[in-house]
């Protein structure tokens, strides 16, 4: 994966259309800004990043495109899909 390409934000600082939760989290963990053990909020429900990226029972929400990135408290990622 090319960590120089940001799948979440474009050159103007706007959300890229079609970026999935999984693509964004893969990029963020590869860059080292987040780890698989951290939690992310998606539509108000908490998930461990590792569960969204790996594992046999990976939730379907991981493949959904992100509609909005919300501000989260305490460095927690918060997405709306």
């Amino acid at each position: 994966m090319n960590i120089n390409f940001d799948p979440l934000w474009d050159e103007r600082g706007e959300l890229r259309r079609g970026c999935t939760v999984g693509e964004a989290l893969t990029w963020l963990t590869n860059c080292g800004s987040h780890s698989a053990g951290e939690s992310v909020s998606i539509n108000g429900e908490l998930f461990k990043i590792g569960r969204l990226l790996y594992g046999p029972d990976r939730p379907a929400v991981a493949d959904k495109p992100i509609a909005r990135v919300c501000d989260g408290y305490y460095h927690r990622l918060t997405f709306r899909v």
Side-chain angles (χ1 to χ4, degrees):
M1 166 167 275
N2 180 3
I3 63 171
N4 294 320
F5 173 75
D6 183 343
L8 192 56
W9 304 107
D10 67 13
E11 297 77 22
R12 296 174 299 196
E14 296 178 12
L15 183 65
R16 285 190 196 274
R17 296 172 64 98
C19 179
T20 66
V21 170
E23 290 170 335
L25 294 176
T26 297
W27 182 74
L28 290 167
T29 56
N30 285 342
C31 289
S33 64
H34 293 280
S35 71
E38 292 180 54
S39 295
V40 59
S41 174
I42 302 171
N43 294 340
E45 187 175 348
L46 285 179
F47 295 90
K48 290 285 186 187
I49 292 175
R51 181 169 175 237
L52 291 166
L53 296 179
Y54 320 108
D57 60 344
R58 206 179 107 174
V61 74
D63 297 322
K64 295 195 181 237
I66 297 170
R68 194 170 127 210
V69 177
C70 309
D71 287 335
Y73 294 109
Y74 307 111
H75 195 61
R76 176 175 288 146
L77 292 169
T78 306
F79 298 131
R80 293 275 178 210
V81 296

